[in-house]
Structure formats: structure tokens, C-alpha cells
Amino acid sequence: MDRRFTFANPEIIALLQGQFVPAVGNTHELQNQQFASSKWFMPMAASINGRLKNHVTAQGFYVASADGRGFGFNNNRDPERVLQFIQKGLTAYRQSPPSNAQISAEEVSARYSRGADPSVSILSVYSRVYPLPAGCDELNHGVGRDFLWIYPEEVRAMRQGQLPQAFVRRLVRYHLVDNVRGEPDFWNAPQIGKEEFSLSAKAGKLYLVGRFSMASMQPAGEHGLDGTLEAEITLDPQQDRIKDFKGYASSVAWGAGKYTPNPPPGKFPLVFAIVPAKEPWAKVIPPQAAAYGDGDYHRP
């Protein structure tokens, strides 16, 4: 993978580990809801991100101090530009050290509500353009990542040999998407041309197989996906949870989404792997499609 397009940059890692306290937040939460942390974040962001005057998203990277001052903003993921932004922000911070900051108990204990309920099974979904067509844009070297939620009532249905339609539709609409180069366009019901899935049981395991096909029109032309999926599922015998999930989908994709520019020309291979989430942050970071509330995500 080209070093310019990966965060495996030792200078960035060293700075973040040694000179900063890294933090992440959901800009939808911070920008539109009145959490205590929103009251700290938004004035800081507005002081260095001029786009907020036009009510544009606050998304991006910031260098800030605990007393609410901003020292740098960047919304580009090229590691060389990120490194320059970090170095410049650190220099500005050192030239104007912060005063002692008083952080309230409310801010310290603030918790967001978008993480999964403990009863939800969380899977990791990875996507890649593979094999990579020769000569395609560097953005196609990336890996798409998201979390897939399976609710306990769906596990109960699977235990009875039933395939929950809500689970299938969630998988197709929100997770079989091209998110390799950026934020994907999620599919809506009229854009789904094929959604044929079945569930069978053998030797204590469940087997999910299916075919899918989706397409939509974008200003730049048609954007679509057509492929197959297979998964081996093991249910927890003691509770309504997924114990193990080994899923793989192979598809042919074409076209660009609104925020996924520069795809390989013509039709290109897009593959997916779905496995149990091991990352500790999976418990607090929702699927992208559920980040604004999981109502439609729960029952798409």
C-alpha cells in the first residue's frame, strides 16, 4: 500500500502517543445535541473552522486545549497533510500554553447513547477492492470498515430456523455497500433489485446463503453492486447472541457514490468479510447507518 495513503506513519503515531491526548466524537452528536461536551466543542470548532458559519458539518481533525481553544483544523486524510497539520497545531499550542481548565463532573461522566445495548451481537464488516485493478486511483487501496448489529429477537428467530427479514434488509441496505473510498450511499428499498437469502441448519451450525443486486443513479452515472454471500453462524446456547459468524461476500461493483469518488473504471471486484467484532470500541461506536439513531436501522 502506498505510504501516502495509510496512517502507518511513524511520525504521526509518535506525536499522537507522546504529545497529545487523542479523542474522538460523533459530530452529529456534538453539533446537534446539547451534551456538556457539545458546549465545549462547538465554540472551539467555530473559532478555527470557518465552514461552521455556513452550518456545514464540523467533521474533521482538531488540535485543541482543555481550556477550549483551538489551534488547528484539517479535514483531509492524506497522512502528509495530517502530519503537517499536527506539527503546526502543536507549535501554536506551545507558543500559547493553556490556562488551568476546570472540567465539570458532568463533562467527565458524559456518555453518548448510540452504543449497542449489551444484548446486541456486534459483527465487524470489512470491504476491499480485490483483486485491485491495475492503474486505479490510490483511494481504492483502502479498506472499508463498519459494525453490523444483530438484535436478540433476530437470534431467537434464527434458533427456530427462521430468517429475519429485518436482518437481511439491514445487511443489504447498510453493509453491502462500497465504502472503500469514503462514506457510502446507503441503498433504499426501490434500489434493491435482488434480495434472495435462505437459512439452513446442519451439525449444530446455521448456514446463510444469498444473492443480491442493487443500483441507483448518481449525477456522475449509475452506481451499483451485484454479488453473492455465504456465512456460517454459531449461536450461543445460553443466550440470544451470535457466538461466531464467518461471512464472505463477493460482488461486482461499478460507479461512484456521492462521497466515494474515483472508482476503478468499468466494473470492478468488491469483496466483504463479516466476523465477530473484537475491538473494544465496537461497544460504543455504532454502525454508520445507526449513528443518527437506530430506528430505521433496527427495522429497515
Side-chain angles (χ1 to χ4, degrees):
M1 184 180 292
D2 191 306
R3 179 176 177 273
R4 294 175 299 160
F5 292 89
T6 174
F7 277 96
N9 183 312
E11 294 174 274
I12 293 177
I13 294 173
L15 282 169
L16 292 178
Q17 290 180 335
Q19 302 296 326
F20 290 85
V21 180
V24 297
N26 184 337
T27 52
H28 182 80
E29 299 270 6
L30 291 168
Q31 193 164 353
N32 299 319
Q33 300 192 37
Q34 297 303 308
F35 292 110
S37 49
S38 302
K39 299 172 185 177
W40 176 91
F41 174 78
M42 287 306 295
M44 180 281 298
S47 71
I48 50 177
N49 181 357
R51 300 185 309 171
L52 291 179
K53 296 179 181 179
N54 297 320
H55 306 288
V56 178
T57 176
Q59 175 180 300
F61 303 119
Y62 294 85
V63 174
S65 58
D67 61 358
R69 288 184 296 154
F71 296 93
F73 165 73
N74 170 55
N75 195 27
N76 185 286
R77 292 171 291 176
D78 183 310
E80 297 301 333
R81 291 182 60 174
V82 171
L83 177 61
Q84 294 172 10
F85 143 77
I86 290 175
Q87 292 171 330
K88 185 176 179 180
L90 182 59
T91 297
Y93 171 87
R94 288 171 172 167
Q95 291 174 346
S96 182
S99 57
N100 291 331
Q102 297 297 320
I103 302 176
S104 69
E106 180 187 12
E107 291 173 300
V108 172
S109 62
R111 296 181 63 87
Y112 295 106
S113 60
R114 302 306 186 199
D117 184 89
S119 65
V120 172
S121 299
I122 308 175
L123 306 180
S124 289
V125 183
Y126 302 96
S127 60
R128 290 186 63 187
V129 177
Y130 184 83
L132 194 68
C136 65
D137 190 276
E138 291 287 351
L139 288 175
N140 293 285
H141 289 248
V143 177
R145 296 176 173 86
D146 202 358
F147 295 120
L148 164 62
W149 287 355
I150 301 181
Y151 295 88
E153 63 268 25
E154 296 168 344
V155 177
R156 287 194 292 271
M158 292 181 190
R159 201 183 301 278
Q160 300 300 317
Q162 303 169 8
L163 181 57
Q165 182 59 32
F167 162 64
V168 171
R169 182 55 59 93
R170 184 182 315 119
L171 176 65
V172 170
R173 284 189 60 186
Y174 301 130
H175 296 288
L176 294 175
V177 295
D178 179 4
N179 60 349
V180 172
R181 297 174 305 282
E183 298 183 23
D185 295 313
F186 298 117
W187 309 108
N188 57 44
Q191 294 169 344
I192 300 174
K194 185 181 298 180
E195 184 185 69
E196 302 170 355
F197 287 78
S198 63
L199 186 69
S200 61
K202 183 179 180 181
K205 297 182 183 296
L206 299 176
Y207 294 89
L208 174 69
V209 297
R211 294 191 59 86
F212 53 87
S213 179
M214 298 80 78
S216 69
M217 290 301 297
Q218 300 289 342
E222 189 180 45
H223 163 62
L225 201 67
D226 183 278
T228 61
L229 178 143
E230 297 182 0
E232 179 186 274
I233 307 170
T234 304
L235 304 183
D236 190 313
Q238 303 298 325
Q239 51 188 333
D240 295 324
R241 298 181 60 82
I242 301 294
K243 182 178 180 180
D244 194 18
F245 194 107
K246 300 174 183 176
Y248 176 79
S250 176
S251 71
V252 173
W254 60 93
K258 184 176 182 180
Y259 299 113
T260 57
N262 306 320
K267 294 189 174 182
F268 56 92
L270 185 66
V271 297
F272 301 84
I274 308 174
V275 295
K278 302 298 185 182
E279 305 89 338
W281 51 87
K283 296 179 181 180
V284 294
I285 298 177
Q288 185 174 353
Y292 305 150
D294 72 342
D296 186 51
Y297 183 83
H298 190 171
R299 300 189 182 281

